[in-house]
Amino acid sequence: VFVGTDFDIDILGTDMTQGIARIELYLDGALLNESRVPSGIQPQYRVTMNWLAQGEGFHVLSAIAYREDGTPSNEAIINLEVITRD
């Protein structure tokens, strides 16, 4: 990914038994963005979050979905490298 690229991440959380209450997006382990389900909990919740690529080098984007009781899902991970244009 080139420095300055507006990077959209489409995230889908699914929990057919207890539902999804929120989704969090992390960059290199730090919370970047959070989205709460607008109408309580849902069995599936899709959200698009954005990151403006910066900081040359390797980065890890990870998403975690949470149930209403705070139970987290497994992380969905994207590893990427940010480079400058020549």
Side-chain angles (χ1 to χ4, degrees), residues 11-82:
I11 305 164
L12 173 64
T14 301
D15 184 327
M16 301 309 274
T17 59
Q18 296 184 33
I20 301 296
R22 75 179 191 279
I23 293 177
E24 295 179 346
L25 178 66
Y26 292 83
L27 173 66
D28 299 328
L31 184 62
L32 181 65
N33 201 343
E34 175 183 325
S35 179
R36 294 191 176 272
V37 175
S39 58
I41 59 173
Q42 296 180 6
Q44 290 189 324
Y45 180 52
R46 172 174 252 134
V47 64
T48 300
M49 295 185 182
N50 184 272
W51 175 57
L52 181 63
Q54 49 192 324
E56 287 183 55
F58 292 95
H59 296 281
V60 177
L61 287 166
S62 59
I64 302 174
Y66 290 87
R67 292 177 175 163
E68 184 66 26
D69 68 3
T71 304
S73 68
N74 293 327
E75 287 181 290
I77 297 172
I78 300 172
N79 294 297
L80 52 91
E81 182 179 9
V82 175

